[in-house]
Amino acid sequence: MTQGWDLEPDDAFPGAPMAYDLAACLRFYSRLPVPRLPGEGDPHRVPDFRILPRMLPLAGLILALPSALILLVAWALDLGPFLAATLAVALATLVTGALHEDGLADVADGFGGGSTRERRIEIMRDSRIGAYGGVALVLSLALRIGALATLLDRTGALAALALILAASLSRCAALAPMVLLGPARPGGAGASVGSPDRRTIEIVSLVAVALVALGWSAGLPLAGMILMPAMALAASLVLTALARAKIGGQTGDVIGACQQVAEIAALLGLVATAPR
């Protein structure tokens, strides 16, 4: 039932395949308690990433809504840009269960501390965080908080929209290693979920263009709206190339790390063009 979006006779309601994929995205990328939908199969099944990412842009928007709300509330309470941005990033981390941050730390430890492909993969599978991973986490949090605080100072409430757009665009950009690389571990989890098909990539690209248009129409600078997806994709592609060189493929950690660097790049692209 999730192999496409054409309505099937046994679908529980119109648009059920889309709703199932959205629910699966939210379950996979967050700790949100998403209930089983009417007519849905096993909600804990292995995701099919050939088609599932079609709903990823919308899932990214939904996951960022709590952070955007707390950002606006803190700003309205006059807590200042730094505290408001810190609260927003903290809530974003709680919503996702630090899923992407964990991937970034593992990639930093593996790529920085391993001298061979096998050793790098072994380090990445270790649950402990080393010096490289710790530094990467601190820098990621600092850059995201700093960028959001700057946007609050320059654009006011529009910073909440910027946060939502960055969350969605970065998850789209993080599909790059799944499309361009095979699994680094043929027997790992990444090998069982598949790779986004062409139709899925086309849908994600169209949604990204729509997000850019939304941000521009809401008042964010056009140059920033162009730079956000461009820099997010560029950052993800750089890390994808590094993964090819270091471990010969992609893993879940690499995808999570791509989301982090893509979100940072997207926010910095907007900061660079936001009027002072």
Side-chain angles (χ1 to χ4, degrees), residues 26-212:
L26 294 175
R27 293 190 192 103
F28 185 83
Y29 284 97
S30 78
R31 296 292 181 87
L32 296 177
V34 181
R36 181 175 178 174
L37 302 181
E40 186 181 14
D42 180 9
H44 304 296
R45 68 190 182 281
V46 176
D48 183 355
F49 271 85
R50 292 173 299 173
I51 60 172
L52 188 68
R54 299 179 189 185
M55 297 304 292
L56 185 55
L58 178 56
L61 292 176
I62 293 172
L63 293 177
L65 286 177
S67 297
L69 179 60
I70 197 67
L71 187 75
L72 291 175
V73 170
W75 181 247
L77 293 175
D78 202 24
L79 296 184
F82 176 77
L83 285 178
T86 301
L87 289 171
V89 171
L91 185 54
T93 304
L94 289 175
V95 167
T96 62
L99 175 68
H100 308 300
E101 288 82 359
D102 179 68
L104 176 66
D106 286 342
V107 166
D109 278 333
F111 289 9
S115 57
T116 65
R117 174 185 179 275
E118 292 72 20
R119 178 56 180 155
R120 291 174 190 124
I121 292 177
E122 181 183 356
I123 292 173
M124 290 167 65
R125 297 181 70 179
D126 192 331
S127 60
R128 294 171 295 182
I129 296 180
Y132 288 106
V135 170
L137 284 177
V138 170
L139 291 177
S140 173
L141 292 171
L143 286 168
R144 288 153 66 197
I145 290 170
L148 274 178
T150 303
L151 288 172
L152 268 174
D153 188 50
R154 295 184 183 179
T155 67
L158 282 176
L161 176 59
L163 186 158
I164 293 173
L165 295 179
S168 184
L169 291 170
S170 63
R171 285 171 172 81
C172 296
L175 295 175
M178 298 188 71
V179 175
L180 300 175
L181 302 178
R185 299 191 302 269
S192 64
V193 299
S195 177
D197 61 25
R198 179 177 178 179
R199 180 60 176 163
T200 296
I201 297 302
E202 290 174 351
I203 292 173
V204 170
S205 300
L206 288 174
V207 173
V209 172
L211 292 176
V212 168

